[in-house]
Amino acid sequence: MDGTVLVADDDRTIRTVLTQALTRAGCKVHATSSLTTLMRWVGEGKGDVVISDVVMPDGNGLEMLPKIHQDRPELPVIVISAQNTIMTAIQAAEAEAYDYLPKPFDLPDLMKRTAKALDNRNRAPAREDSATIGADGPDELPLVGRTPAMQALYRLVAKVMNTDLPVLISGESGTGKSLIARAIHDFSDRRTLPFVTVTGGDLSELEGPSKVLARVKGGTLLIDEITDIPDEIQARIVRMMDIPGEHVPRFMATSQGDLAQAMDEGHVRQDLYYRLSGATINVPSLRERVEDIALLTDHFLARAEREGAPKRWLSEEASELFRAYSWPGNVRQLENSVRRLSLTSRAEEISRSEVEAVLGNQPDTGPILRGGDSEKLGTSVARHLRRYFDLHGNMLPPPGLYARILKEVEAPLIEIALEATGGNQAKCADLLGINRNTLRKKITDLDIRVTRRRKLM
């Protein structure tokens, strides 16, 4: 890489790591913990790329972007933030950030994006009309998550927000498909126009489409669960989408299943599928982003407290049960369970037994299998790997994928084997077929907590 990078972050460790990595890559680096200093450098014409945190001691990094674009429209700004919500991604897109990465970020990935920004620094980024962020903050949208799956979703939402492409949102019940559709509308150029949700019943009468178009008035029309709509009404939707005019709405649709598969099986018309799938957003299930459960739980407990419930938190054992549960009802089920616990818990700390009373004595593992008991492990792994690649869109995943995937598989394998052997490392090593010293090293390297538990029968 060749160029000068301006780094602004109040975390000294991050500044040091980025400075060392970028310097080794051939860049000159100016690093600061102050937005004031950053803006002075920008005003002096320094830097070919900016990497900036959002929350800084002397201001907000996103609020500096309009000034940077005004003074130096060709200067790309990469935003990094620990505020891992859909609102941050949307605000970064609205402020015309060149790119956005959540913390903790993958250093090779950030280096690759910085190199791309340096290569494109002589080409001014395409500017779009910016929309004003609404009054609702992150606390009002339960679309929060730090996992790669959710961060990829946030970036995709930000990209399609101000386009006119139809959007197909697929995912299991309770994952937040309607919330995502509403967020796209509320922060788009159509936000002052109506947002109308319809089902097949609203279009069953001959004059149904004309009534719906009169209601939406060029805003956003969300068709709920498109696969449940009969073929005759699907044909009306096709004709409705083809009606020309100045006040054509933006079309969005939700589906619990794979719409391409539904088309192959004859449940969705081919002409409707191709009209709706301008942009496809796949919403991950909660069991596909287990690391977000604690974040969501804290979010819902804080919301309940603001609404008058007593202050509550989960005990360590209760948190483990939350992570083990498969959440067939996804985020909606999690929210309802947390609300109930916030009101019924006998103490400030919610116990495991109280969680068991709400969820049942044993975690529901059925939905985790998805493909059934007959599905081979290799098939299940391949399905998740394909989804991981799909979430990165046109970009390849960050380098180091082989080691990262092995670690993802190795850690739970050792944890489960230790649990099955009651924490006996000698038996666990024998079960796994590895040397005991090797097992000890892996426990340390993978930061696996060893506790003696009941052996699995």
Side-chain angles (χ1 to χ4, degrees), residues 168-169 198 203 223-230 233-234 237 252-257 259 262 267-268 272-273 276:
L168 174 63
I169 307 171
V198 298
L203 303 169
I223 305 167
D224 192 40
E225 296 303 334
I226 192 70
T227 54
D228 293 340
I229 296 177
I233 299 178
Q234 289 185 27
I237 296 173
M252 290 194 278
T254 63
S255 170
Q256 286 195 30
L259 205 62
H267 301 305
V268 173
L272 178 58
Y273 170 77
L276 285 175

Side-chain angles (χ1 to χ4, degrees), residues 199-212 232-233 236-237 239-240:
T199 63
D202 298 301
L203 303 169
S204 59
E205 300 178 358
L206 288 176
E207 63 273 20
S210 59
K211 290 182 178 179
V212 167
E232 178 185 354
I233 299 178
R236 291 180 187 172
I237 296 173
R239 292 192 292 272
M240 183 169 60

Side-chain angles (χ1 to χ4, degrees), residues 390-401:
D390 290 343
L391 287 170
H392 287 79
N394 296 326
M395 297 184 66
L396 289 174
L401 178 62

Side-chain angles (χ1 to χ4, degrees), residues 30-265:
H30 297 291
T32 179
S33 61
S34 166
L35 284 177
T36 302
T37 302
L38 172 66
M39 295 305 294
R40 176 168 56 80
W41 288 342
V42 171
E44 293 172 352
K46 294 180 180 178
D48 300 303
V49 172
V50 173
I51 300 175
S52 176
D53 194 4
V54 173
V55 180
M56 298 281 282
D58 56 347
N60 185 297
L62 290 176
E63 294 175 357
M64 300 295 108
L65 282 174
K67 175 63 175 173
I68 294 176
H69 284 306
Q70 179 182 344
D71 295 345
R72 296 178 60 186
E74 80 290 348
L75 182 63
V77 180
I78 298 174
V79 173
I80 55 177
S81 174
Q83 293 182 315
N84 303 305
T85 72
I86 192 171
M87 292 295 297
T88 308
I90 289 174
Q91 287 174 323
E94 290 289 346
E96 301 180 10
Y98 176 84
D99 211 338
Y100 159 74
L101 276 83
K103 290 181 179 180
F105 54 81
D106 182 272
L107 182 58
D109 185 27
L110 178 56
M111 296 292 287
K112 180 169 65 175
R113 293 171 190 266
T114 304
K116 183 179 178 182
L118 286 168
D119 289 340
N120 296 336
R121 61 185 181 272
N122 293 323
R123 289 180 289 174
R127 297 173 65 95
E128 298 177 350
D129 293 335
S130 62
T132 301
I133 299 299
D136 290 342
D139 290 340
E140 301 304 318
L141 286 173
L143 299 171
V144 295
R146 295 191 178 98
T147 53
M150 288 302 290
Q151 295 301 325
L153 185 148
Y154 297 161
R155 287 193 288 268
L156 183 54
V157 166
K159 287 179 180 179
V160 305
M161 187 171 54
N162 280 322
T163 70
D164 290 326
L165 284 173
V167 179
L168 174 63
I169 307 171
S170 63
E172 296 178 7
S173 176
T175 52
K177 299 187 294 295
S178 297
L179 285 170
I180 291 171
R182 185 79 210 202
I184 293 173
H185 171 81
D186 286 348
F187 297 99
S188 74
D189 295 335
R190 299 176 187 256
R191 63 192 177 279
T192 59
L193 300 172
F195 177 87
V196 177
T197 301
V198 298
T199 63
D202 298 301
L203 303 169
S204 59
E205 300 178 358
L206 288 176
E207 63 273 20
S210 59
K211 290 182 178 179
V212 167
L213 290 175
R215 287 171 56 200
V216 73
K217 298 177 182 177
T220 300
L221 178 60
L222 175 64
I223 305 167
D224 192 40
E225 296 303 334
I226 192 70
T227 54
D228 293 340
I229 296 177
D231 184 86
E232 178 185 354
I233 299 178
Q234 289 185 27
R236 291 180 187 172
I237 296 173
V238 171
R239 292 192 292 272
M240 183 169 60
M241 295 183 72
D242 290 342
I243 294 175
E246 295 182 2
H247 302 292
V248 176
R250 182 180 195 174
F251 288 89
M252 290 194 278
T254 63
S255 170
Q256 286 195 30
D258 186 326
L259 205 62
Q261 181 179 345
M263 180 187 68
D264 293 339
E265 295 173 353

Side-chain angles (χ1 to χ4, degrees), residues 381-402:
V381 171
R383 171 162 48 79
H384 287 288
L385 287 175
R386 288 192 186 97
R387 179 175 180 81
Y388 178 74
F389 273 82
D390 290 343
L391 287 170
H392 287 79
N394 296 326
M395 297 184 66
L396 289 174
L401 178 62
Y402 184 79

